[in-house]
Amino acid sequence: KAGVTQTPRYLIKTRGQQVTLSCSPISGHRSVSWYQQTPGQGLQFLFEYFSETQRNKGNFPGRFSGRQFSNSRSEMNVSTLELGDSALYLCASSSGTANSGNTIYFGEGSWLTVV
Amino acid sequence: AQSVTQLDSHVSVSEGTPVLLRCNYSSSYSPSLFWYVQHPNKGLQLLLKYTSAATLVKGINGFEAEFKKSETSFHLTKPSAHMSDAAEYFCVVSDSILQGGKLIFGQGTELSVKP
């Protein structure tokens, strides 16, 4: 069974540009979450989608957005990139919620560098 | 609100000696708790999870953790460290039922294993 797949793995963008990251969850999983990991702030929750609906959102500016498709694949978009957006972006998938005992599986992440 | 505190940012042990990574949590109700490991340039791998069943939880690679409600702790242990255990470890709590799949991460503990 394939794991969580994230593309691209590495990318470099210029300030002011926008970026789209993609995530394919484990087959059968309908929940997809996104996290940002930086050395200073650690791992922070961005948002979660379940059956194409955003179910939760973290404390990030509106430049960060996402969506989920009918096949559960998800994309996140960051517009007007800032240097501080340089981070590892992790996608996670699950068949349900963590507090219901479901395991959340993570992909290997997309490394974004903003110059 | 939920929170997690990892009491040590860095732990160093010798190969073959016990490992103890400390984690305290704050929760207004019965939480789900997890330990994840992250090897360099890799995603997060689930070591073990507690979801209100047995308080002593066994995970992969010989790790285990004990949920102690009276101490609000969920420390991770391993009887004998191996060189391959060197990585960063995250203690994680799931948010409230209302928040679905949102995970709250501790700041991480870097484990070094000396030969």
Side-chain angles (χ1 to χ4, degrees):
Chain A
K1 196 172 183 181
V4 180
T5 305
Q6 292 187 245
T7 57
R9 290 294 319 281
Y10 305 92
L11 67 167
I12 300 174
K13 289 287 188 178
T14 304
R15 268 185 305 174
Q17 287 186 316
Q18 73 165 8
V19 67
T20 299
L21 308 178
S22 180
C23 173
S24 293
I26 292 172
S27 178
H29 285 186
R30 294 195 292 165
S31 168
V32 174
S33 304
W34 289 89
Y35 292 81
Q36 181 196 63
Q37 185 176 23
T38 60
Q41 299 299 317
L43 279 145
Q44 294 185 287
F45 173 78
L46 280 156
F47 27 66
E48 183 212 3
Y49 288 86
F50 187 87
S51 295
E52 302 179 68
T53 301
Q54 186 180 84
R55 188 158 63 174
N56 292 293
K57 191 177 189 304
N59 296 323
F60 279 81
R63 300 186 296 106
F64 292 81
S65 63
R67 58 178 175 168
Q68 186 180 33
F69 302 95
S70 58
N71 62 358
S72 293
R73 191 178 70 85
S74 176
E75 289 180 346
M76 67 162 283
N77 184 77
V78 187
S79 62
T80 319
L81 283 165
E82 300 176 359
L83 295 178
D85 297 333
S86 295
L88 176 65
Y89 290 88
L90 289 163
C91 172
S93 82
S94 173
S95 57
T97 60
N99 47 38
S100 298
N102 294 287
T103 297
I104 295 184
Y105 298 89
F106 284 83
E108 295 207 332
S110 292
W111 286 95
L112 171 64
T113 300
V114 182
V115 297
Chain B
Q2 313 279 68
S3 67
V4 174
T5 302
Q6 291 184 242
L7 301 174
D8 307 291
S9 59
H10 186 260
V11 170
S12 182
V13 301
S14 297
E15 192 174 21
T17 64
V19 175
L20 169 64
L21 306 183
R22 299 181 295 164
C23 171
N24 286 350
Y25 70 91
S26 172
S27 173
S28 57
Y29 67 102
S30 183
S32 291
L33 293 159
F34 310 81
W35 277 97
Y36 280 87
V37 61
Q38 186 176 36
H39 288 91
N41 300 317
K42 293 289 187 181
L44 295 160
Q45 180 184 22
L46 179 70
L47 281 176
L48 49 82
K49 64 179 180 181
Y50 166 78
T51 54
S52 75
T55 57
L56 182 62
V57 182
K58 294 188 183 300
I60 62 171
N61 301 334
F63 285 95
E64 63 180 39
E66 186 171 8
F67 174 74
K68 292 187 176 180
K69 186 174 181 180
S70 60
E71 299 176 12
T72 61
S73 69
F74 190 58
H75 302 334
L76 181 71
T77 61
K78 183 174 181 177
S80 176
H82 191 273
M83 294 297 292
S84 61
D85 295 329
E88 184 138 26
Y89 292 77
F90 293 94
C91 183
V92 183
V93 64
S94 67
D95 210 324
S96 70
I97 291 175
L98 294 176
Q99 291 292 308
K102 177 181 178 180
L103 298 178
I104 298 169
F105 285 79
Q107 285 299 307
T109 298
E110 185 180 353
L111 175 65
S112 300
V113 182
K114 297 175 290 187

